[in-house]
Amino acid sequence: NAGVTQTPKFQVLKTGQSMTLQCAQDMNHEYMSWYRQDPGMGLRLIHYSVGAGITDQGEVPNGYNVSRSTTEDFPLRLLSAAPSQTSVYFCASSYSRGPSYNEQFFGPGTRLTVL
Amino acid sequence: AQSVTQPDIHITVSEGASLELRCNYSYGATPYLFWYVQSPGQGLQLLLKYFSGDTLVQGIKGFEAEFKRSQSSFNLRKPSVHWSDAAEYFCAVGITGTASKLTFGTGTRLQVTL
């Protein structure tokens, strides 16, 4: 299994540009999430999904959009990039059945810089 | 809402010395608790987790953590630190029944001196 994969690894955008960060998992996990990591702030939840066709907002959803058309993929869209969105973005996935499966597996991250 | 506090931003220990990283949480019910490690430029790797039962949990790489309900703490320990343990460590709390929503602490950066 490849686990959780993210593309691209690095990206530089200009203010106002849009782009999509890709995330895919091959573990048949129901839950998928997006986090952003900023220095001194840990990881903060942006959006999450409990299954195909179902998404919800996390702690910092503004400026981001998500959809979940398949179990495997959970792309994160930046509608109009701003310098405040400069961050490292992590995608994660997990099962939903019972507490012993409540463990998230993280992708390697995408480092985004907005100029 | 739940929250996690890691009071130590940066810790330096000598190789071979013992280590304890502190984590305090706030949550109304019994939480799911996790410790993750992040090496520079890498993603997060799960060290250990607590759901219920034995309050002392063993993880990978020789780490252990103890859940203390009375103190709302889940401190990470290792008896003898190796230089390769230098990394950033994150404590996280998950809400019962909601696998996809973790709240992370701000992290503790561990430096190991030789």
Side-chain angles (χ1 to χ4, degrees):
Chain A
N1 288 350
V4 180
T5 58
Q6 293 183 237
T7 56
K9 292 188 185 307
F10 302 94
Q11 183 70 50
V12 179
L13 293 177
K14 295 181 180 178
T15 297
Q17 288 185 314
S18 63
M19 80 158 294
T20 300
L21 279 62
Q22 301 292 344
C23 174
Q25 53 89 13
D26 60 359
M27 297 174 280
N28 203 29
H29 285 168
E30 295 91 344
Y31 288 166
M32 296 187 74
S33 311
W34 277 102
Y35 295 86
R36 61 177 288 173
Q37 182 180 27
D38 301 293
M41 302 190 74
L43 281 80
R44 292 179 293 169
L45 183 65
I46 305 172
H47 284 285
Y48 67 100
S49 168
V50 300
I54 306 171
T55 64
D56 205 349
Q57 296 181 351
E59 181 184 355
V60 288
N62 292 341
Y64 306 96
N65 199 2
V66 293
S67 61
R68 183 103 179 265
S69 56
T70 67
T71 300
E72 294 77 20
D73 301 298
F74 191 44
L76 178 71
R77 281 181 284 278
L78 278 69
L79 308 173
S80 177
S84 61
Q85 295 178 303
T86 294
S87 187
V88 181
Y89 292 84
F90 288 99
C91 179
S93 71
S94 64
Y95 289 111
S96 67
R97 338 160 206 155
S100 62
Y101 292 96
N102 191 348
E103 168 189 341
Q104 294 199 32
F105 295 83
F106 284 81
T110 293
R111 185 174 295 274
L112 175 68
T113 301
V114 183
L115 303 175
Chain B
Q2 70 279 11
S3 65
V4 178
T5 301
Q6 293 181 249
D8 303 307
I9 296 172
H10 186 222
I11 283 182
T12 300
V13 300
S14 300
E15 188 175 39
S18 63
L19 172 70
E20 182 169 28
L21 302 182
R22 295 183 291 168
C23 172
N24 292 95
Y25 70 90
S26 173
Y27 180 56
T30 299
Y32 297 155
L33 294 163
F34 306 83
W35 275 100
Y36 284 88
V37 60
Q38 184 181 35
S39 298
Q42 303 297 314
L44 278 75
Q45 180 183 22
L46 181 69
L47 284 176
L48 47 76
K49 58 191 176 187
Y50 171 80
F51 295 140
S52 64
D54 193 348
T55 57
L56 184 64
V57 294
Q58 302 296 321
I60 63 171
K61 304 184 179 185
F63 285 92
E64 66 178 25
E66 186 171 11
F67 170 59
K68 293 186 177 180
R69 184 188 304 274
S70 62
Q71 299 177 19
S72 297
S73 68
F74 189 57
N75 294 349
L76 182 71
R77 301 193 295 248
K78 186 169 185 178
S80 178
V81 171
H82 189 262
W83 64 266
S84 60
D85 292 324
E88 188 149 23
Y89 291 80
F90 293 95
C91 182
V93 60
I95 301 175
T96 305
T98 308
S100 60
K101 295 180 72 173
L102 289 181
T103 298
F104 284 84
T106 52
T108 297
R109 181 165 298 279
L110 173 66
Q111 183 177 355
V112 180
T113 59
L114 300 177

